[in-house]
């Protein structure tokens, strides 16, 4: 009898263990997150965490790419300057406080407030007034028609924060509180961020219990850990490791010609780069095709600033590009008040290898250039403060909209915030403004194309390549949603044991 009781007890223990067994998903990031407030950050790793912790009013459908409801159930535009959002009922933040129209208003006002210094304050630049109509209804009035407004609201930076948490912590950089399918557990700086499934989630609960973001800067180590099952997903594969992953039958590699662009730009506060001949010399000396060929399947070529997968690209924009001509570059460089230049490079992804190629090409044109490779977080801070000379950077085009590329990055309104080049061109700015101020999408496309060709000819950026979105994950993870803008989600995924 005693043995029977022990057997029953053991059976019960095993059943309980199976019922409470947890699944863990591990993502290998090349750098640590900058912070966990969507209002205050705009880097890749922070965005990976934030888009699982927080939610937006709208989102892009992973299959169709169309903008669909999320925290807003529906919206209407009674006139071109008015947007009325009807919010989802029964949603709570991770701290237990209710999601409502006041929470949306408070978040958007924080983005708009110059003292917040939000890197994507441009999202709210056309907004004139935000009004709470009732608990679940919000009215937003713009100064003029804002054709890209819904696309802007789908950006991670427009995700909704808990006002109670903001009041308690001041900002949410280390204390994130959203409404999303995962909630924050802890963060060990330089090591990992741990998220756990939100048991009180309003929608379909996440099937994976834990989400670990682990900092592993070395790509070879990432792949080795992916092969042993200690890591489940990587999203920054160097081309020389791609075949190794593709040949592994236990791996899934998702690729798609994407919206991210990588570029070289200038600090226009420097007198040298205000001289158009100096900028043209740099553009003439760079053969971006060499970089594209080196990167292979992870990149595709187009010298257009607005890439082929971004709204506003019109075939033939490349006609405005400066052709590769090192002799012409050397001649132009001899005409300017030349000096040795420094190319600033982030120490992540494919930037260092691209920088080495560029250094060699500029040297061949007689341009004396040294490299300054900087840790990612410090790089973002330094370039925001205009400490750089020449510099490499990228833009993911999360909204997939050309005017939402140009306005934050190259419009004079955003010098001192997201315009890290300090670039200003009144003619281009007028075109960008017009592209944002009309809801006629054909007209918007025409205006963005015109601004694109002008910016290319002005050498605001020298486009190096556009990225092929590439995510590699273990085949035990099923249902990962991968977007053309490089975003990916595991909220609907599961792990097959």
């Amino acid at each position: 009898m005693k043995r029977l009781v022990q057997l029953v007890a053991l059976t019960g223990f095993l059943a309980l263990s199976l019922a409470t067994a947890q699944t863990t998903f591990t993502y290998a990031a090349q750098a640590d997150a900058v912070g966990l407030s969507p209002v205050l950050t705009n880097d890749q790793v922070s965005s990976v965490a934030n888009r699982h912790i927080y939610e937006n009013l709208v989102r892009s459908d992973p299959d169709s790419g169309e903008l669909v409801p999320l925290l807003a159930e529906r919206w209407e535009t009674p006139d071109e300057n008015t947007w009325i959002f009807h919010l989802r009922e029964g949603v709570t933040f991770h701290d237990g406080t209710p999601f409502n129209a006041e929470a949306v208003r408070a978040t958007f006002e924080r983005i708009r407030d110059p003292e917040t210094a939000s890197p994507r304050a441009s999202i709210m630049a056309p907004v004139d007034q935000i009004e709470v109509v009732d608990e679940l209804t919000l009215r937003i009035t713009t100064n003029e028609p804002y054709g890209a407004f819904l696309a802007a609201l789908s950006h991670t930076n427009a995700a909704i924060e808990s006002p109670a948490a903001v009041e308690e912590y001041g900002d949410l950089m280390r204390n994130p509180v959203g409404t999303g399918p995962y909630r924050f557990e802890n963060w060990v700086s330089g090591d990992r961020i741990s998220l756990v499934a939100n048991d009180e989630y309003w929608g379909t609960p996440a099937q994976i219990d834990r989400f670990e973001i682990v900092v592993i800067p070395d790509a070879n180590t990432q792949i080795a850990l992916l092969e042993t099952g200690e890591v489940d997903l990587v999203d920054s594969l160097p081309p020389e490791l791609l075949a190794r992953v593709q040949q592994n039958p236990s791996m899934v590699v998702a690729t798609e010609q994407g919206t991210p662009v990588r570029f070289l730009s200038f600090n226009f506060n420097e007198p040298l780069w205000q001289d158009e001949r100096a900028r043209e010399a740099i553009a003439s000396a760079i053969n971006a095709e060499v970089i594209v060929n080196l990167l292979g399947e992870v990149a595709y070529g187009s010298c257009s600033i607005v890439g082929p997968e971004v709204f506003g690209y019109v075939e033939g924009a490349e006609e405005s590009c400066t052709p590769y001509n090192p002799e012409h570059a050397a001649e132009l460089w001899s005409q300017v008040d030349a000096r040795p230049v420094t190319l600033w490079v982030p120490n992540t992804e494919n930037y260092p290898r691209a920088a080495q190629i560029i250094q060699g090409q500029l040297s061949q044109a007689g341009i004396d250039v040294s490299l300054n490779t900087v840790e990612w977080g410090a790089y973002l801070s330094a370039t925001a403060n205009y400490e750089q000379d020449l510099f490499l950077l990228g833009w993911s085009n999360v909204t997939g909209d050309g005017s939402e590329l140009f306005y934050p990055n190259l419009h004079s309104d955003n010098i001192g915030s997201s315009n890290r080049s300090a670039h200003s061109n009144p003619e281009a700015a007028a075109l960008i403004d017009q592209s944002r101020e009309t809801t006629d999408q054909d007209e918007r496309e025409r205006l963005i194309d015109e601004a694109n060709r002008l910016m290319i000819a002005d050498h605001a950026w020298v486009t190096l390549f556009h990225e092929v979105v590439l995510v590699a994950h273990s085949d035990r993870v099923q249902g990962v949603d991968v977007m053309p803008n490089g975003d990916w989600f595991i909220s609907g995924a599961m792990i097959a044991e």
Side-chain angles (χ1 to χ4, degrees):
M1 184 67 178
K2 181 178 179 182
R3 183 170 180 175
L4 179 61
V5 171
Q6 289 175 332
L7 182 59
V8 171
L10 179 60
T11 303
F13 173 76
L14 289 173
L16 180 62
S17 297
L18 289 172
T20 58
Q22 288 201 330
T23 52
T24 300
F25 174 92
T26 304
Y27 159 59
Q30 285 198 328
D32 203 0
V34 172
L36 297 179
S37 163
V39 169
L40 296 175
T41 59
N42 197 32
D43 63 288
Q44 180 189 2
V45 182
S46 298
S47 295
V48 168
N50 288 339
R51 63 178 172 256
H52 289 86
I53 298 171
Y54 301 92
E55 293 177 305
N56 297 60
L57 296 188
V58 300
R59 65 169 299 211
S60 294
D61 182 87
D63 296 320
S64 68
E66 295 181 357
L67 294 167
V68 296
L70 191 55
L71 289 178
E73 287 191 317
R74 58 187 176 87
W75 51 86
E76 58 203 53
T77 52
D79 60 65
E80 287 190 322
N81 289 17
T82 305
W83 297 77
I84 299 175
F85 293 92
H86 301 275
L87 308 180
R88 194 173 296 278
E89 188 176 5
V91 179
T92 58
F93 289 102
H94 301 156
D95 58 7
T97 58
F99 163 78
N100 52 30
E102 175 55 32
V104 180
R105 187 202 65 80
T107 297
F108 289 174
E109 291 291 7
R110 264 173 48 76
I111 296 172
R112 295 179 69 201
D113 186 350
E115 292 189 6
T116 303
S118 173
R120 286 304 314 273
S122 59
I123 288 172
M124 294 293 154
V127 172
D128 177 50
Q129 194 171 14
I130 305 172
E131 304 170 83
V132 173
V133 177
D134 58 39
E135 184 75 5
L136 295 174
T137 309
L138 188 79
R139 179 188 295 114
I140 299 178
T141 307
T142 57
N143 292 306
E144 61 276 321
Y146 186 9
F149 194 31
L150 284 182
L153 292 183
S154 71
H155 196 285
T156 310
N157 290 107
I160 311 303
E161 300 178 335
S162 161
V166 172
E167 184 176 351
E168 180 177 355
Y169 299 112
D171 67 52
L172 305 187
M173 293 290 271
R174 306 287 303 197
N175 300 280
V177 180
T179 63
Y182 285 88
R183 57 181 176 82
F184 176 70
E185 185 177 68
N186 58 53
W187 181 2
V188 179
S189 295
D191 180 32
R192 73 184 57 224
I193 294 171
S194 300
L195 311 179
V196 295
N198 174 17
D199 295 334
E200 304 298 322
Y201 185 55
W202 61 267
T204 303
Q207 298 300 300
I208 299 173
D209 300 295
R210 297 185 63 82
F211 182 4
E212 300 276 346
I213 299 173
V214 182
V215 180
I216 305 173
D218 181 69
N220 284 286
T221 305
Q222 287 189 0
I223 300 306
L225 294 175
L226 185 64
E227 291 171 334
T228 61
E230 295 171 78
V231 160
D232 293 299
L233 184 147
V234 300
D235 61 2
S236 298
L237 275 175
E240 66 271 16
L241 295 177
L242 179 57
R244 173 177 163 184
V245 176
Q246 289 174 324
Q247 293 166 8
N248 190 324
S250 66
M251 300 297 157
V252 175
V253 180
T255 62
E256 187 169 353
Q257 190 164 296
T259 63
V261 60
R262 299 294 179 257
F263 59 86
L264 175 147
S265 192
F266 312 86
N267 182 349
F268 281 82
N269 289 326
E270 292 288 326
L272 175 61
W273 307 125
Q274 294 169 13
D275 189 328
E276 187 176 354
R277 295 171 300 174
R279 304 196 303 276
E280 185 178 343
I282 297 295
S284 299
I286 294 176
N287 184 356
E289 186 177 346
V290 174
I291 299 173
V292 173
N293 290 338
L294 172 70
L295 297 179
E297 293 183 60
V298 304
Y300 66 101
S302 168
C303 60
S304 174
I305 295 174
V306 176
E309 298 300 318
V310 177
F311 177 80
Y313 171 82
V314 174
E315 188 173 350
E318 291 82 1
E319 296 167 0
S320 300
C321 297
T322 297
Y324 171 59
N325 189 333
E327 292 80 13
H328 182 57
E331 180 183 351
L332 286 170
W333 196 248
S334 69
Q335 297 173 10
V336 303
D337 187 13
R339 58 169 172 77
V341 300
T342 302
L343 176 60
W344 285 56
V345 187
N347 71 336
T348 186
E349 299 182 21
N350 291 305
Y351 293 114
R353 68 181 62 205
Q356 291 175 352
I357 293 172
I358 292 168
Q359 183 183 37
Q361 292 178 345
L362 295 183
S363 297
Q364 289 174 8
I367 301 171
D368 183 1
V369 58
S370 59
L371 303 183
N372 180 30
T373 305
V374 183
E375 182 273 329
W376 180 238
Y379 190 84
L380 293 177
S381 177
T383 53
N385 292 322
Y386 303 110
E387 298 173 24
Q388 71 276 24
D389 194 10
L390 294 174
F391 68 104
L392 302 186
L393 205 55
W395 188 255
S396 292
N397 285 309
V398 172
T399 65
D401 190 285
S403 65
E404 291 305 301
L405 177 160
F406 279 135
Y407 185 71
N409 287 291
L410 291 168
H411 194 292
S412 54
D413 281 359
N414 293 302
I415 293 175
S417 57
S418 52
N419 182 347
R420 294 173 189 267
S421 303
H423 176 269
S424 176
N425 182 314
E427 184 181 354
L431 290 168
I432 296 165
D433 288 340
Q434 292 170 47
S435 76
R436 287 160 60 85
E437 292 168 6
T438 177
T439 57
D440 182 326
Q441 297 305 308
D442 290 337
E443 178 67 0
R444 292 191 66 240
E445 182 179 63
R446 184 191 70 78
L447 290 164
I448 294 168
D449 175 53
E450 190 174 344
N452 185 35
R453 293 170 191 255
L454 195 158
M455 290 289 198
I456 294 169
D458 192 37
H459 306 103
W461 287 355
V462 179
T463 300
L464 303 177
F465 60 92
H466 301 268
E467 283 195 348
V468 172
V469 173
L470 190 152
V471 171
H473 63 81
S474 166
D475 64 356
R476 77 187 189 109
V477 183
Q478 302 169 0
V480 177
D481 285 329
V482 181
M483 307 289 289
N485 61 16
D487 286 356
W488 50 266
F489 300 85
I490 66 160
S491 49
M494 63 179 296
I495 292 178
E497 296 293 353

